[in-house]
Amino acid sequence: MDIYKALVGHFLFTLVKTDPEWLHKQTISSLNWLAKTSYYPANNCLNHLLYQSLSLPDPRLEQTILGMKFPNPLGLAAGFDKDGVGASLWHNFGFGFAELGTVTYHPQPGNPPPRLFRLPLDQAALNRMGFNNAGAVAMAARLKEGKENLNYPIPIPIGINLGKSKITALELAAQDYLESFRLLKDLGDYFVVNVSSPNTPGLRSLQDAAMLSQIIDVLQRENSANKPIFVKIAPDLEWEAIADIISLAKAYQIAGLIATNTTISRVGLKTQIIEKTGKSPQEEGGGISGKPVRDRSTEVIRFIYEQTQGQMPIIGVGGIFSAEDAWEKITAGACLIQTYTGWIYEGPMMVRRILAGLLTKLEEKGLTSISQAIGVGNS
């Protein structure tokens, strides 16, 4: 029995209705303590127990993409570990990679609370956090300290998601992203240009090809080590706009695309009233994540895969709760997938369940590697 789903999640989310941001802060604090004290024998045993319980190593799930070795295709999406607190721990939870951030050059508190809401009827979350984080300088210091304290390399790729500081004018966005990249370029395995969050005023306008090209240009000029750079796009873009971004990605040799961020659409939501505010989701600003974005993100993945003939790596994210959800995105064209909201609802055992389910799918289809499944749903 999954104790988290049967008891813990029900207690926290339904019975006592724990504030989601408070609960997130407590989790991050626990991760911070565990990371800093992992050399204690008891904590070392705890980390080993987590890995044994939550991971599912299998060579059929392994891939090497853009020079990075992924032990499995399921990663932690950006937004959970904004400051890189758990960078050295995420592999113990079974993830094949983890994306830190979103981090901005200037530290910022984000939007005023309440700013994070669960929508259990929709298996979704509504957030308008606003890139709250300690800033690129603080993340760089933490990651450097972690590397010095560890006696072994982190066994999974670590991505860093970069956003624009709220105080930076849109016309200066490229320089803002560049300053963060300069501080962090030696500390991440890949980087993500986040121009698709709905919670920083004007940010999504940077998805326009002319604006985005300025950002990509300055980053690639600085990128002497040729670190893979992805662009994360919104699910709400028209097909023509996505096609423009694909063309831009090819022109500037962008490593790949992440599809997708949260949606501003409220279509089809079952939740009528958010208890904390007494308002409907339609009256509340912010992006929706979880199951409501699942189908649209898969459509965007399929479009990118078809437009690029499968030659551009795609990281699929949005509404992954089960092995079926994961398989759907992989067969649509995603070589890697990410989860956040689904992991919160389903609990830490979800990663192992999904990986086991993917192995079952491979066996059913007569495939010997997860890479063989990428895009097969489009043929």
Side-chain angles (χ1 to χ4, degrees), residues 51 56-65 68-74 94-97 155-157 330 335-336 355 358-359 362 368-374:
Y51 180 79
L56 186 60
D58 191 293
R60 291 171 291 176
L61 296 174
E62 296 174 1
Q63 297 178 89
T64 298
I65 300 169
M68 297 176 285
K69 184 175 181 180
F70 295 84
N72 69 66
L74 181 57
F95 290 110
F97 65 108
I156 59 173
I330 291 168
C335 58
L336 300 166
L355 298 179
L358 290 178
L359 289 171
L362 291 178
T368 58
S369 170
I370 196 67
S371 60
Q372 295 172 345
I374 298 168

Side-chain angles (χ1 to χ4, degrees), residues 333-354:
C335 58
L336 300 166
I337 49 177
Q338 293 177 324
T339 185
Y340 176 174
T341 304
W343 191 60
I344 298 301
Y345 276 101
E346 295 292 305
M349 286 301 298
M350 186 193 84
V351 176
R352 187 183 179 99
R353 280 200 303 270
I354 287 179

Side-chain angles (χ1 to χ4, degrees), residues 95-231:
F95 290 110
F97 65 108
E99 194 169 303
L100 313 178
T102 297
V103 62
T104 56
Y105 178 59
H106 297 283
Q108 55 188 45
N111 294 321
R115 55 192 183 178
L116 180 61
F117 311 93
R118 292 189 206 96
L119 282 63
L121 289 176
D122 297 289
Q123 293 285 277
L126 188 159
N127 98 80
R128 49 169 178 263
M129 301 299 288
F131 290 167
N132 56 307
N133 73 103
V137 171
M139 179 183 277
R142 176 177 281 111
L143 294 179
K144 286 177 182 176
E145 180 183 6
K147 284 195 170 189
E148 291 169 358
N149 290 340
L150 287 174
N151 296 320
Y152 53 87
I154 297 172
I156 59 173
I158 297 295
I160 300 179
N161 187 297
L162 307 175
K164 184 189 77 69
S165 306
K166 187 175 182 179
I167 64 172
T168 300
L170 286 172
E171 58 269 22
L172 300 176
Q175 186 65 29
D176 191 82
Y177 282 94
L178 177 61
E179 295 297 340
S180 293
F181 184 66
R182 280 176 173 161
L183 289 165
L184 295 162
K185 63 181 181 179
D186 296 326
L187 300 167
D189 296 299
Y190 73 89
F191 289 83
V192 180
V193 177
N194 187 346
V195 287
S196 51
S197 169
N199 302 317
T200 295
L203 185 76
R204 285 192 170 191
S205 67
L206 297 178
Q207 292 175 116
D208 175 77
M211 297 286 282
L212 185 55
S213 64
Q214 295 177 28
I215 299 170
I216 301 306
D217 183 50
V218 298
L219 293 184
Q220 291 291 43
R221 290 175 186 271
E222 182 71 20
N223 190 18
S224 56
N226 292 317
K227 292 291 180 74
I229 296 177
F230 289 76
V231 173

